[in-house]
Amino acid sequence: MQILVTGAAGYIGSHACQRLLADGHHVVGLDNLHRGHITPMNLLAQQHPDRFTFIQSDLGDTPTVLAALNEHRIDTVLHFGALAYVGESVEDPLWYYRNNIASAIGLLDACDAAHDAKGITRFIFSSSCATYGDLPDDRIPVAEDAPQNPTSPYGYTKLHFEHILRDYATKRQRENNPIALTMLRYFNVAGSDRSGLLGEDHTPETHLIPVALNTALGKRESMSIFGTDYPTPDGTNIRDYVHVEDLIDAHVRAMNTIEIGQVEAFNVGIGKGYSVREILDSVKRVSGVDFPVLEGDRRAGDAIALYNDPTKIKSALGWDAQVTDIDEVVASAWAWFKANPNGYDD
Ligand code: UDP
């Protein structure tokens, strides 16, 4: 297949490019390099000079994206490119809506106009379990039919774009030119490529596991738990941490399984929740470093507990997490952090 990956230079997008290239596809990676890194793009281009093209562009730059879709005869778009911090979205919601919705509509305009207005064939959207917000206890673990009431602007950007995509798919259906649309609602993505080539390098870094690994490396003096008074067994938030390679495998399965005319949403998470304290214990165990952890205030926008009910994705896509031991997830991330203490350093 000929595949466009938006957000290709980011943590998850770069892992997606790597897997798609390993599977023999032609891949065009698009990224404005606002938060992505050129290094993984160069590494992948060196490995696959004939099948990988990187384009530096905003995904909302419709003419540039349209030219890329046509020139490379793209049939499938994997849309990862987005701002993705809950806390930051609370601080600056308009920035989040402009990037994650307005720019994404620019991408969709290009997808619609491509191939002499026939449009692309398959679209897979990185949505989020943040679209669910705080659910009643009887809705945890979370299935796809749970009510979606986000607790943050970030969550709303993902939910709104799901609606926009559904409306777009309906238009394509009405025009007898249907599209295959999959929305994957990620739980917390963690770990890195076990070949050691790619890793996770964000600026700023706010995600729990990388922050803890940076503290274990001594790059931070300490870190904080954001809230120890939640109504959970140890008082800290509970999340479902899915290994990035398993997450990408869900995309590959959706690409191969969801048929033209189908519109589907799947949760992607292992089906087990870990508290913040359990994650920190794992990081200390794996790294062998007992770093200082402070008990801080709650962070605005955080849901109390979220973990997946993987029944639907198991039965429809045959997907199941291969990495379910949290120490294994953390170990894959720790290996890259130790080998690259300054990240990609680009
Ligand atoms: N968290 C924390 N300290 C940190 C970073 C995160 O206690 O320095 C908590 C955060 O409040 C949440 C969990 O770790 O409960 C996962 O947060 P992360 O930002 O990694 O992902 P999110 O769930 O927001 O997508």
Side-chain angles (χ1 to χ4, degrees):
M1 285 183 192
Q2 325 286 326
I3 302 167
L4 178 79
V5 173
T6 76
Y11 162 51
I12 301 175
S14 58
H15 281 80
C17 292
Q18 183 188 41
R19 166 70 193 268
L20 295 169
L21 289 163
D23 287 356
H25 298 291
H26 284 78
V27 177
V28 175
L30 188 88
D31 202 295
N32 60 9
L33 296 182
H34 171 62
R35 285 194 166 152
H37 294 274
I38 193 65
T39 302
M41 301 293 87
N42 291 337
L43 291 170
L44 292 173
Q46 276 160 22
Q47 283 192 344
H48 305 278
D50 303 334
R51 287 189 289 111
F52 183 64
T53 306
F54 174 67
I55 299 174
Q56 184 175 352
S57 166
D58 200 286
L59 59 91
D61 178 349
T62 306
T64 300
V65 178
L66 179 57
L69 294 174
N70 284 332
E71 184 190 337
H72 295 275
R73 302 187 319 283
I74 300 292
D75 45 57
T76 297
V77 173
L78 269 59
H79 174 37
F80 297 94
L83 297 170
Y85 294 132
V86 166
E88 193 177 69
S89 80
V90 175
E91 299 291 315
D92 198 345
L94 298 185
W95 184 36
Y96 266 64
Y97 285 112
R98 201 177 315 115
N99 262 277
N100 293 4
I101 298 198
S103 291
I105 291 173
L107 166 70
L108 216 44
D109 277 332
C111 293
D112 191 47
H115 314 314
D116 296 322
K118 198 164 179 306
I120 56 133
T121 313
R122 254 175 238 91
F123 195 100
I124 300 181
F125 173 50
S126 306
S127 188
S128 170
C129 69
T131 59
Y132 294 114
D134 278 326
L135 292 167
D137 287 350
D138 63 356
R139 287 292 198 164
I140 309 284
V142 186
E144 288 78 357
D145 61 356
Q148 289 177 290
N149 295 301
T151 51
S152 70
Y154 167 68
Y156 272 109
T157 66
K158 293 291 178 183
L159 180 58
H160 288 321
F161 202 64
E162 283 196 10
H163 289 305
I164 290 166
L165 284 170
R166 285 179 191 277
D167 288 343
Y168 175 63
T170 304
K171 172 197 117 98
R172 291 277 299 260
Q173 194 81 42
R174 207 175 42 243
E175 293 171 349
N176 285 324
N177 179 28
I179 187 171
L181 170 61
T182 311
M183 288 156 297
L184 296 178
R185 298 180 188 143
Y186 305 169
F187 283 70
N188 291 54
V189 187
S192 53
D193 139 50
R194 283 165 291 175
S195 81
L197 186 73
L198 305 177
E200 180 170 15
D201 180 4
H202 295 113
T203 308
E205 186 54 82
T206 69
H207 290 304
L208 179 63
I209 292 176
V211 165
L213 293 173
N214 279 331
T215 316
L217 274 178
K219 291 178 68 185
R220 301 171 55 119
E221 279 182 12
S222 65
M223 62 171 294
S224 295
I225 299 178
F226 297 147
T228 52
D229 60 349
Y230 282 100
T232 58
D234 70 16
T236 66
N237 290 144
I238 291 173
R239 297 285 183 274
D240 179 326
Y241 295 84
V242 56
H243 192 270
V244 64
E245 290 177 308
D246 281 333
L247 175 87
I248 301 306
D249 186 59
H251 294 68
V252 171
R253 286 167 186 269
M255 251 172 51
N256 295 335
T257 311
I258 300 303
E259 291 176 4
I260 310 298
Q262 261 185 294
V263 174
E264 289 290 348
F266 297 102
N267 291 343
V268 195
I270 69 170
K272 177 172 170 18
Y274 290 95
S275 73
V276 174
R277 288 191 203 278
E278 287 174 323
I279 295 296
L280 296 180
D281 287 347
S282 170
V283 172
K284 289 182 179 185
R285 226 174 9 247
V286 168
S287 66
V289 183
D290 186 13
F291 49 87
V293 174
L294 312 174
E295 299 199 348
D297 293 335
R298 292 182 178 195
R299 181 174 69 177
D302 276 338
I304 300 164
L306 285 168
Y307 59 95
N308 187 29
D309 172 354
T311 307
K312 182 179 176 189
I313 191 165
K314 277 185 184 173
S315 69
L317 300 185
W319 180 88
D320 206 355
Q322 300 303 303
V323 186
T324 52
D325 173 13
I326 192 62
D327 284 6
E328 205 182 320
V329 174
V330 169
S332 72
W334 176 238
W336 192 82
F337 271 68
K338 259 194 319 190
N340 302 271
N342 298 318
Y344 284 117
D345 206 12
D346 54 6

